Amino acid sequence: MTAAPEQQAEPEPDELLLGFARALRAAGLGVTADRERTFLVAAATVGLGERAHVYWAGRATMTSVPADFPVYDEVFERWFGGEAIPRGRRVEVLRPPVRQAPLDGGDGHGGEADADTLEARASAQEVLRHRDVATLSAADRVAAARLFASLAPRSPLRRARRHVRSTNGSVDGPATLREQLRRMGEPGRIHHRRRGVRPRRIVLLVDVSGSMSPYADSLLRLAHVFVRSVPHVEVFTMGTRLTHVTRALSERDPDRALAAAGRVVPDWSGGTRLGEAIGAFLDRWGRRGMARGAVVVVFSDGWEREGPEVLGEQMRRLAALSHRVVWANPHRGKVGYEPVQQGIVAALPHIDDFVAGHSLAAFEELIEVVSRA
């Protein structure tokens, strides 16, 4: 009597979804750990009963630009095939435990109590890093403001015209000849040289209109970190007009810097004229060299008062002048977001990186994108 063939164990839903996310990363999409967690939350919300639900949850959370869609579709079909996705139980999203630290400093004993306190603080900070800054309470905003000091922007690099000495590379003829002259014509060491590097300019265009007011304070804090940390950074605010605020943000103290920026920005929480503001930047500063070869970061949700044609044309001009255009949208990191606003649709063809801009974790990812530009 032959034994019945052993059935292959059905994969757990969370293992299946995490494997899909890693397959997308291996295919070249920018799937970070933060996006994996967001995908799990989205899948848990919509449920695993329908393939379409999982498809749209993944596409909304793990793609950045329309160019990612064909790769996403191919990996989705290969990973899930024609099989139904296991229903099983709903995906359990693991969140770090938060323990309340004692207000009186504990009972005076070390060991386990100190470890619990440190774990509570670390867990609270980790949760705060992934919170949408627009939803923070006043106390959480104060705590989040302190976490901005941990951000470490780095300048993207470009090849310089001048050469520097190197142990390999092309032969440095003049230096090699001078070496032989010092040796009275005797053969000596052959010198090499290579092209040096220099930091690229970074331009930050921050939308401070009414729809962006919940994020404006955090975005200017991020801009202050850039101004204080790396060279060649210029910051402008956009609303109904364009305002140059680099000098105001050069204050060492972040609160004083934000107060100084608030005094020089006349259109805080007003209307939105993104196309006109970007056009004013290009006409007054961009063509004079500020945008030429620079990494330009636009912080905006894409809501435009005027027609989208103006924004599309100005973004085309901006992309032609700059080295790379990054657009950070605070709604990009939210579950179910689709870039359907007229302004975003008009700008997307001229954007190199379309990233989230709603949390400290998203700001860290943005910093990495800018440093690699």
Side-chain angles (χ1 to χ4, degrees):
M1 184 175 180
T2 58
E6 183 180 356
Q7 293 184 350
Q8 186 176 2
E10 188 178 68
E12 291 292 329
D14 52 351
E15 295 177 359
L16 187 69
L17 297 180
L18 285 174
F20 173 53
R22 290 160 188 162
L24 289 173
R25 184 187 301 119
L29 298 190
V31 178
T32 62
D34 186 35
R35 290 189 176 184
E36 285 183 0
R37 287 189 291 269
T38 306
F39 173 48
L40 290 180
V41 173
T45 301
V46 301
L48 301 180
E50 296 290 338
R51 284 169 51 84
H53 293 171
V54 179
Y55 172 85
W56 288 110
R59 178 166 152 171
T61 56
M62 294 191 292
T63 60
S64 300
V65 293
D68 293 343
F69 297 164
V71 178
Y72 176 85
D73 292 343
E74 180 180 357
V75 175
F76 185 88
E77 289 300 324
R78 288 184 178 181
W79 188 260
F80 295 109
E83 301 292 334
I85 300 173
R87 296 173 183 267
R89 62 179 182 274
R90 293 171 69 87
V91 177
E92 297 293 337
V93 181
L94 297 179
R95 293 182 173 85
V98 179
R99 301 182 182 178
Q100 181 65 42
L103 298 178
D104 57 358
D107 55 1
H109 299 288
E112 185 177 353
D114 293 340
D116 288 347
T117 301
L118 291 176
E119 182 178 355
R121 291 176 180 174
S123 300
Q125 287 188 358
E126 183 65 18
V127 171
L128 189 59
R129 285 180 58 252
H130 292 88
R131 291 271 304 278
D132 189 326
V133 295
T135 65
L136 298 181
S137 63
D140 287 338
R141 285 184 179 275
V142 173
R146 291 194 293 266
L147 294 180
F148 275 89
S150 64
L151 300 179
R154 303 184 305 278
S155 291
L157 301 177
R158 62 182 301 178
R159 296 183 67 184
R161 293 183 178 179
R162 293 186 178 182
H163 290 77
V164 296
R165 291 186 177 181
S166 176
T167 56
N168 51 30
S170 60
V171 175
D172 188 346
T176 302
L177 181 60
R178 287 194 296 269
E179 175 72 15
Q180 291 187 355
L181 290 175
R182 283 194 295 268
R183 298 172 62 89
M184 304 298 293
E186 293 292 328
R189 182 170 68 91
I190 297 178
H191 294 264
H192 296 82
R193 66 180 185 175
R194 61 175 176 81
R195 292 276 292 274
V197 295
R198 58 182 301 181
R200 285 190 182 274
R201 187 185 305 276
I202 302 173
V203 178
L204 308 180
L205 304 177
V206 183
D207 185 349
V208 295
S209 62
S211 62
M212 287 289 292
S213 58
Y215 299 95
D217 180 87
S218 296
L219 293 178
L220 286 179
R221 286 186 183 275
L222 176 62
H224 175 260
V225 173
F226 269 96
V227 171
R228 297 293 305 172
S229 302
V230 297
H232 311 305
V233 177
E234 299 291 340
V235 185
F236 296 82
T237 61
M238 302 183 297
T240 56
R241 57 179 295 179
L242 184 78
T243 306
H244 194 193
V245 295
T246 306
R247 181 175 298 179
L249 292 179
S250 62
E251 286 271 356
R252 180 179 298 273
D253 182 77
D255 293 323
R256 291 184 178 180
L258 263 66
R263 289 192 292 269
V264 300
V265 176
D267 54 348
W268 197 282
S269 298
T272 312
R273 292 177 179 172
L274 293 178
E276 291 185 8
I278 294 175
F281 164 72
L282 291 172
D283 293 338
R284 185 171 180 181
W285 285 280
R287 288 192 173 277
R288 297 181 181 179
M290 186 177 289
R292 197 175 302 276
V295 178
V296 181
V297 185
V298 180
F299 297 93
S300 177
D301 55 5
W303 288 106
E304 172 66 293
R305 175 186 294 182
E306 307 296 335
E309 298 80 10
V310 177
L311 178 59
E313 172 61 21
Q314 300 308 323
M315 288 297 297
R316 184 197 63 78
R317 294 176 59 201
L318 180 63
L321 275 176
S322 61
H323 170 69
R324 199 165 186 86
V325 176
V326 181
W327 190 297
N329 188 322
H331 305 304
R332 175 68 181 84
K334 298 179 181 179
V335 176
Y337 170 76
E338 288 290 338
V340 296
Q341 296 90 349
Q342 290 184 341
I344 289 293
V345 171
L348 271 177
H350 314 292
I351 296 173
D352 296 298
D353 297 286
F354 187 42
V355 300
H358 66 297
S359 65
L360 282 160
F363 296 158
E364 292 173 355
E365 182 179 344
L366 169 67
I367 287 173
E368 289 299 318
V369 170
V370 172
S371 66
R372 296 193 304 263

